[in-house]
Amino acid sequence: MSQPSVDNTPQKKRSGSRSSATNFASDCTDQRSSRMDDARKERDYRRLDFDDIARSALPKNSTLRDLVDKRTKEISPRLDDILVKRSQDPATPALVRQAANLCREWLRGELTPNNGPRNEKVIYPAHAALIRCIADHLDPELAAASDTDKAKRVLLPYASDMKPTGSDERIRIDGALHSCANASSSDNKLRPEYRDIVLVAEAKWYREQDEAYAQLIRYTRQVYANQPNRRFAWGVTICATLVRVVLFENDRMVSSKDMDVTTSTGIAAYVKFIVSLCFCEEHQLGYDPSMTWCSENKYWIIKCPGRTPDNDDEQSATYYARDLVFVADHLFGRHTRGFYASADPELVDQPDTFIKDAWPHAERGSEDTSRNELAILQDIVQQLEKRGIDTKGYVRPVRGGTVRLDDNHDDDTDIVLDPVVGDIEAAHPRMGTIAENDETNASTLPAELAAGRGKDDEACAIDDSSRVEVIPYRVHRRLALKPIGKPLYALSSPYELIIVLADAMTAHSKILNLCGYLHRDISTNNILAIEVDGRVRGVLIDFDCAIKVGSQRRVRAERTGTPSFMSINNLRNSSVERSELDDWESLLYVVCWLGVHGVSEEEQSSYQAFIEGKYKTDKDFKPPLYAWENGSFEESD
């Protein structure tokens, strides 16, 4: 995927290995259709309906919750009067007066286009006018003197039907909201920018939600890609006069019931949701308070949990990162992000530490460390050092642990969905007890969905298919690792590639034979090149999927890995026990992949230009093994 061109924003690199080689032809000929198909699959499998999901946006403080109710009651019954006044004010710009009239018609169910076929474009200004009315009423600059009565922010609409900056797709969005300090803020921008979007809105003229969900999925993926500090995301669908609130967490999209804006209860419910977003804490908007962007110095300030190999005092340390190495450019899964960082802000351009931020699966209330990457890496290094093995060619943890929102709360799925996670589980009891022979069993789902991911998602282990949670439990973990390595595309020759792959798999064998851990996720992203004593070496990273194995060195059948590089056993989700042979098979696919995409950065960029249509015909450029990847047996020129 191409690198988004966003001015004055941290560097973002999209990994070319995110889309499958087998989808190459469709990506070239009809990328938009392919993305929509993926979005529809995600929509059909991932969605849960829960009437009261908007309650997750309510402030935790009881005083603020009462204030939300008060402001909602002030706004909802007076909307028509506010809009009439605005539409008749001669000092108001003509477009604003027109939008106010459209909003009145929309709220009465009388909205129709003046000319041409019925389409959703007339909804855009109507919805924007509603949001503007709420913002003007909540404007902190006009609020009471008491700070407790003021909104923390207001949400303002971007210009509608425009392509936001930061996108790797040529698509327009119907509407989006961004956060400002006040309703008259100079930050009120016309062109939407994915890096600043708080909430995306998708409108349809007809009362059919399915396509609206599919579009919203595509847009929200871009929000994650452009906001490294995004934990979860909100969205809104507007189908005629029916509005639904959608919350995207790591495994599900949870949708509210219809809010009919032509009814007093429906418009009050939607207004309350928007007001809640203006009064709630930043983390309830979906942002990570432990990761902030310093606009003055143009780097990320990242708090890393303080548990180290020698100290469990949980004192966090601060790192500074300018380069975002791995982008979470997918909607569901671990949302793994990576940064090159330094503990010294003066050395931010000379990083010596890799910060890994991810949401792996975990067991609620369990102290089990068998799938805790920090514990696994600490154990591997200790065992190797006891045997006198040089660990320079192995990834070593500096510190890490579970990210904390504050002194009292770890960041996890329950915090994201608080206070409704228990109600969601209760509303879908059957999903928590899928029988092994049930027709909806994960083994019968499309491969990319059964693995808990979409086509562009990353590796992620799933639990035994006989026990499927409604909302799988995840924790937000962050690690500081050394050494930092370079991706395989930074290598200068196939000879260096051979050395790096050999080193990585040698480490794989030692970790299995001496430490008893099977990696289970060999991919192009998880093998890096480092320099040791002036020589190029390879290092194996990402032990999120690693598992302790016994003397038989086999583990129960479990579908893990990165889809493009999974063994046949994994892809078919077979009942055959997994072993190191599955990892070695994955290595073969890594070599094939690199043969297609190239090794050097120049080959990678040329290949990317090709799939993005920058060459007019196939004859203008053909990447290595183009015929093989294109599904053709014809010889390339």
Side-chain angles (χ1 to χ4, degrees), residues 371-629:
R371 294 208 177 176
N372 184 322
E373 186 176 16
L374 175 64
I376 290 173
L377 291 175
Q378 289 174 345
D379 187 34
I380 289 172
V381 171
Q382 289 172 3
Q383 291 198 52
L384 292 176
E385 287 178 343
K386 284 181 182 178
R387 290 173 168 79
I389 296 174
D390 185 0
T391 58
K392 289 182 180 179
Y394 296 80
V395 61
R396 302 182 301 279
V398 177
R399 66 190 318 113
T402 302
V403 175
R404 298 183 71 83
L405 288 181
D406 52 43
D407 293 337
N408 300 316
H409 299 96
D410 289 342
D411 197 10
D412 58 17
T413 302
D414 292 346
I415 289 293
V416 170
L417 292 171
D418 182 55
V420 300
V421 62
D423 295 335
I424 295 174
E425 297 275 351
H428 298 82
R430 185 173 180 273
M431 292 191 66
T433 56
I434 294 179
E436 201 166 307
N437 61 350
D438 196 298
E439 63 182 1
T440 58
N441 186 294
S443 64
T444 66
L445 293 169
E448 68 274 15
L449 300 183
R453 61 176 82 64
K455 185 190 73 172
D456 292 332
D457 205 347
E458 63 197 86
C460 172
I462 61 171
D463 291 333
D464 185 6
S465 59
S466 64
R467 186 179 55 82
V468 179
E469 295 178 284
V470 177
I471 303 290
Y473 180 69
R474 295 176 182 264
V475 294
H476 186 187
R477 291 194 176 124
R478 187 171 295 149
L479 303 178
L481 306 169
K482 289 186 177 182
I484 62 172
K486 297 179 180 179
L488 295 180
Y489 68 73
L491 297 174
S492 59
S493 72
Y495 303 104
E496 289 185 344
L497 175 64
I498 292 172
I499 294 172
V500 168
L501 295 182
D503 283 345
M505 295 310 291
T506 298
H508 175 278
S509 296
K510 288 184 178 179
I511 291 171
L512 176 62
N513 296 328
L514 302 180
C515 307
Y517 289 100
L518 183 62
H519 188 273
R520 305 197 305 168
D521 188 18
I522 303 299
S523 71
T524 54
N525 284 334
N526 293 340
I527 299 175
L528 300 180
I530 60 174
E531 185 174 306
V532 177
D533 300 329
R535 294 179 55 247
V536 172
R537 297 281 300 275
V539 61
L540 186 62
I541 66 169
D542 194 351
F543 284 76
D544 267 343
C545 293
I547 192 170
K548 191 79 171 178
V549 295
S551 58
Q552 298 297 320
R553 301 200 308 187
R554 292 178 178 272
V555 295
R556 64 189 176 93
E558 185 179 39
R559 196 171 188 274
T560 60
T562 303
S564 299
F565 309 102
M566 282 183 179
S567 67
I568 297 300
N569 274 337
N570 267 327
L571 283 173
R572 292 179 175 174
N573 201 21
S574 75
S575 59
V576 177
E577 292 180 319
R578 309 293 190 259
S579 71
E580 69 266 32
L581 294 180
D582 291 276
D583 283 1
W584 282 98
E585 183 179 341
S586 294
L587 179 68
L588 294 177
Y589 303 140
V590 168
V591 174
C592 291
W593 183 277
L594 294 171
V596 174
H597 291 266
V599 177
S600 70
E601 191 166 8
E602 180 181 358
E603 288 177 335
Q604 292 266 332
S605 60
S606 296
Y607 176 86
Q608 196 62 41
F610 175 75
I611 67 171
E612 289 171 4
K614 294 180 180 178
Y615 294 91
K616 293 182 180 179
T617 68
D618 292 354
K619 293 183 179 180
D620 293 326
F621 172 77
K622 288 188 178 180
L625 296 184
Y626 164 73
W628 173 81
E629 187 178 26

Side-chain angles (χ1 to χ4, degrees), residues 134-144 150-151 154 181-184:
I134 299 173
D136 288 344
H137 186 83
L138 299 179
D139 193 341
E141 297 299 317
L142 303 177
K150 292 184 178 181
V154 292
N182 54 71
S184 58

